[in-house]
Amino acid sequence: MSEAALQLDRVTRLYKEGEGQLEVFRDVSLALKPGELVALVGPSGAGKSSLLHMAGLLEAPSSGEVFIAGRAASRLSDQERTRLRRDTIGFVYQAHHLLPEFTALENVVMPQRIAGKPRTVAEAEATRLLTELGLGARLTHRPAQLSGGEQQRVAIARALANKPRLLLADEPTGNLDPHTSGGVFAALVALVRAEGLSALIATHNLQLAAQMDRALILDNGRLSEGRVPAN
């Protein structure tokens, strides 16, 4: 059996709060199998974003270990973590964070160029992904010329441009209206499955969560597996 794309082994996250500490979560463990889509749900303030930041090597756990594609990350240098994150992980946030002065195509080309891909290769991959996401006719449009749903589709393409093994998404449709949200989420799931990625997707939308392979519930500092109702 292939190694997990992501494994958290008894991770704890504490923040300093005055002279004391705030415990966000404790002894959290999870593993994402290759190709598995998992919803991360829980009340606001439960620590879903912190968990995703830790999984994406943007924050270090207070204790425990994060494994990316079987590789322990805690003892890696900053440079090694950056390289592992760039080569292995894609991120989608609630806000698209597109560069306003660049076209949709250029926004998806940029991370590939930073990773060292030739421009022709990067442009071909960006065109493929954007076309798969229904934006083949919008390649030369800047973000201000795109709808909110189209902007988020560009952000999804950008996250997948360097062919990561793992996608982490934090409320990726949270800023969209219900109709647009459903369309963007369906496009995200279809492309993630087509690319064979593992994905951990935080969402408040239980209808969207119910479409994934399983759900993990973060509440009161603990992570548990649960069934999410479709309505």
Side-chain angles (χ1 to χ4, degrees), residues 10 17 39 43 60 105 177 223:
R10 301 191 66 181
E17 189 176 66
L105 183 71
D177 64 78
L223 191 70

Side-chain angles (χ1 to χ4, degrees), residues 149 153 172-187 203 205 208:
R153 288 171 190 250
T173 61
N175 283 339
L176 306 176
D177 64 78
H179 176 73
T180 304
S181 174
V184 170
F185 187 79
T203 181
N205 190 320
L208 300 184

Side-chain angles (χ1 to χ4, degrees), residues 108 112 124-135 153 156-162 191 195:
V108 182
Q112 300 180 75
E125 179 65 3
T127 299
R128 181 186 74 82
L129 288 168
L130 289 167
T131 300
E132 288 283 334
L133 288 164
L135 296 177
R153 288 171 190 250
I156 291 167
R158 180 183 59 190
L160 301 181
N162 280 326
L191 190 53
E195 300 289 309

Side-chain angles (χ1 to χ4, degrees), residues 125-154:
E125 179 65 3
T127 299
R128 181 186 74 82
L129 288 168
L130 289 167
T131 300
E132 288 283 334
L133 288 164
L135 296 177
R138 312 286 277 171
L139 301 180
T140 60
H141 290 65
R142 290 184 170 84
Q145 299 171 299
L146 302 172
S147 70
E150 289 172 333
Q151 291 173 15
Q152 197 64 324
R153 288 171 190 250
V154 176

Side-chain angles (χ1 to χ4, degrees), residues 56-57 68-69 71 79-91 111-112 114-117 159-167 197:
L57 309 184
I68 303 296
R71 188 176 183 189
Q79 184 178 27
E80 288 173 317
R81 276 197 302 273
T82 297
R83 186 181 303 113
L84 183 61
R85 186 166 55 242
R86 182 194 68 201
D87 294 344
T88 313
I89 305 170
F91 295 90
Q112 300 180 75
I114 292 172
K117 290 184 183 178
L160 301 181
N162 280 326
K163 299 185 181 300
R165 293 183 56 176
L166 171 66
L167 179 74
L197 305 182

